[in-house]
Amino acid sequence: MIKIHMELKKLEITARKDIKSAKNLKDLDDIFKKYLGKKGELTLILRSLKNLPIKERKTQGKIANQIKKDLELIIQEQKHKLQASSFKIQDTGFDITVPGKKQDLGHLHPLTLVRRKVEEIFQSMGFSVVEGPEVESEWYNFDALNIPKEHPARDLWDTFYLKQKKLLLRTHTSPVQIRYMEKNQPPLRIIVPGRVFRHEATDAGHEVNFYHIEGLMIDKKGKVSVANFKAIIGEFFKRFFEKEIKIRLRPSYFPFTEPSFEIDINCVNCLGKGCSVCAQTGWVETLGAGMVHPNVLKAVGLNPKFWQGFAFGVGMDRLAIMKYKIQDIRLFYGGDLRFLQQF
Ligand code: PHE
């Protein structure tokens, strides 16, 4: 018993010395192996304890384990010391102890804040977020959406055409409905946030470039109705504006939905009393929607006898304008820090 005790003491003293005199990480690693590695001196002693009578094993084991812990700790300390000094030696021109310059923290653009919020709300209701290309073909932007060539409805979406292959900048996110349904079988629920373009004169309410969020929900005939749409969109507005919002549906026209409607919400600014934001009407038009037109379902090979659903399109800029009470859509794209830093 005395013998092991002495051996341990001796080992501890030499190990401590060795560790303190290690000049680099390689030395230190060798020292670790020498004492604590698989065949290290201390490891062997620890292993041999099992041959001792139980009482002795306990007392010696306690001492040996304590030594092991101590050695591990001072090896760690020595390691940190060596690492810190190797920095100083290598990078002579760089003093790691000088406090750094503070980085200016960026922040999110209001439209990004809105997009994230919308995504979060719809995701919680089981919708997936999907994206599509900004440069589209006439087929996806118009034909597949039941807007044939020469149809006057195309004028609603005047846009920028590219010279090649009848490509254009998409005027809405609706083409992604088609792209998604071509590849995925219903039942399905998606929203599509994205940038869209229109050939328009700009003013406080219009830009040539802005953002839409498309929504699409398709299920077996009889399972998704206008009532479902109204409930979902009502829930969305309530959570987006964080207050009770009245909505109303007005009949409208879109080639890709039938019936179609326009959704107005109670003006968030005056809560329906009438103000300049809502042109004294108390209502603000926010969303186009309807039940997906049978021709659109046919265009992607779905039989309208078995499937039905709703679609909607909402202007992200308009949501942001209402949420943050912004006067002019052009502010979103001007890059003026006095505006952007308010978010
Ligand atoms: N795409 C339409 C627009 O550009 C909005 C919409 C989407 C309407 C889906 C009905 C259904 O205004």
Side-chain angles (χ1 to χ4, degrees):
M1 165 163 171
I2 305 263
K3 198 171 145 247
I4 295 190
H5 191 80
M6 294 288 288
E7 227 178 284
L8 280 171
K9 269 287 154 215
K10 236 168 77 192
L11 181 143
E12 188 184 0
I13 293 167
T14 40
R16 276 177 184 269
K17 256 195 217 149
D18 281 355
I19 295 167
K20 287 263 147 65
S21 59
K23 296 222 164 45
N24 53 46
L25 294 174
K26 167 89 179 57
D27 278 0
L28 198 59
D29 198 44
D30 290 343
I31 293 164
F32 176 87
K33 281 190 193 134
K34 184 172 171 215
Y35 295 102
L36 299 170
K38 265 196 195 144
K39 291 192 180 139
E41 290 174 22
L42 185 58
T43 314
L44 293 179
I45 295 183
L46 273 164
R47 245 185 247 152
S48 72
L49 291 179
K50 68 173 185 293
N51 305 323
L52 296 177
I54 179 126
K55 213 174 142 208
E56 228 175 281
R57 194 193 311 165
K58 266 196 180 159
T59 41
Q60 297 304 340
K62 216 170 161 190
I63 298 171
N65 273 318
Q66 187 56 48
I67 294 178
K68 186 177 174 208
K69 268 194 202 149
D70 291 347
L71 292 183
E72 279 169 351
L73 191 76
I74 56 171
I75 286 179
Q76 270 310 316
E77 282 170 4
Q78 183 71 4
K79 190 172 171 187
H80 290 149
K81 261 195 217 158
L82 288 173
Q83 278 169 337
S85 63
S86 75
F87 263 123
K88 271 190 207 138
I89 293 162
Q90 283 162 16
D91 307 346
T92 42
F94 181 69
D95 182 353
I96 56 164
T97 60
V98 173
K101 270 193 198 149
K102 265 224 170 114
Q103 288 279 340
D104 279 341
L105 267 192
H107 55 87
L108 297 174
H109 191 280
L111 290 176
T112 308
L113 293 172
V114 166
R115 198 193 72 216
R116 290 194 178 179
K117 182 87 187 161
V118 175
E119 288 177 357
E120 182 193 309
I121 297 171
F122 276 103
Q123 276 173 328
S124 80
M125 294 196 274
F127 285 73
S128 313
V129 180
V130 173
E131 287 186 32
E134 288 167 8
V135 174
E136 265 301 1
S137 65
E138 280 191 281
W139 166 256
Y140 284 111
N141 197 75
F142 293 127
D143 303 82
L145 289 165
N146 197 32
I147 319 172
K149 245 206 172 64
E150 321 303 343
H151 192 289
R154 280 208 186 190
D155 299 346
L156 285 174
W157 290 277
D158 208 358
T159 190
F160 304 98
Y161 282 83
L162 279 71
K163 282 199 181 121
Q164 318 138 318
K165 287 188 245 154
K166 301 197 175 155
L167 293 177
L168 50 85
L169 297 183
R170 67 175 174 192
T171 55
H172 46 189
T173 40
S174 303
V176 189
Q177 288 186 30
I178 305 295
R179 288 181 177 276
Y180 192 78
M181 285 193 285
E182 279 176 345
K183 296 220 172 86
N184 299 276
Q185 279 300 311
L188 47 91
R189 284 180 218 193
I190 56 164
I191 57 161
V192 186
R195 188 177 180 190
V196 300
F197 308 83
R198 303 229 175 137
H199 185 260
E200 305 214 37
T202 58
D203 61 32
H206 297 88
E207 252 297 0
V208 290
N209 154 134
F210 53 102
Y211 288 83
H212 259 189
I213 297 169
E214 192 80 9
L216 177 71
M217 177 166 174
I218 305 281
D219 209 323
K220 294 214 179 77
K221 188 130 195 153
K223 277 192 94 177
V224 205
S225 64
V226 177
N228 295 133
F229 166 70
K230 223 184 141 188
I232 285 178
I233 215 67
E235 177 68 16
F236 164 70
F237 281 124
K238 187 168 121 193
R239 281 159 66 179
F240 183 78
F241 290 111
E242 289 160 355
K243 55 180 141 194
E244 234 19 93
I245 299 275
K246 272 198 203 142
I247 62 174
R248 73 175 182 192
L249 271 63
R250 275 184 296 113
S252 181
Y253 171 74
F254 296 101
F256 32 90
T257 47
E258 180 59 36
S260 305
F261 15 84
E262 212 89 49
I263 286 83
D264 299 337
I265 65 169
N266 236 191
C267 178
V268 185
N269 196 35
C270 63
L271 297 173
K273 284 191 209 85
C275 68
S276 62
V277 173
C278 57
Q280 311 303 331
T281 62
W283 294 96
V284 186
E285 182 189 313
T286 45
L287 206 126
M291 299 305 286
V292 177
H293 196 289
N295 288 350
V296 173
L297 294 172
K298 280 184 203 154
V300 294
L302 290 177
N303 188 339
K305 282 201 187 111
F306 304 130
W307 301 104
Q308 104 184 10
F310 62 75
F312 61 86
V314 52
M316 220 174 329
D317 306 64
R318 194 163 289 179
L319 287 178
I321 283 175
M322 286 192 287
K323 189 166 171 84
Y324 301 119
K325 303 196 168 52
I326 292 162
Q327 308 296 331
D328 195 319
I329 187 174
R330 290 169 292 193
L331 286 166
F332 291 132
Y333 307 98
D336 187 335
L337 287 178
R338 289 169 303 176
F339 170 69
L340 294 172
Q341 274 164 352
Q342 294 176 49
F343 297 93

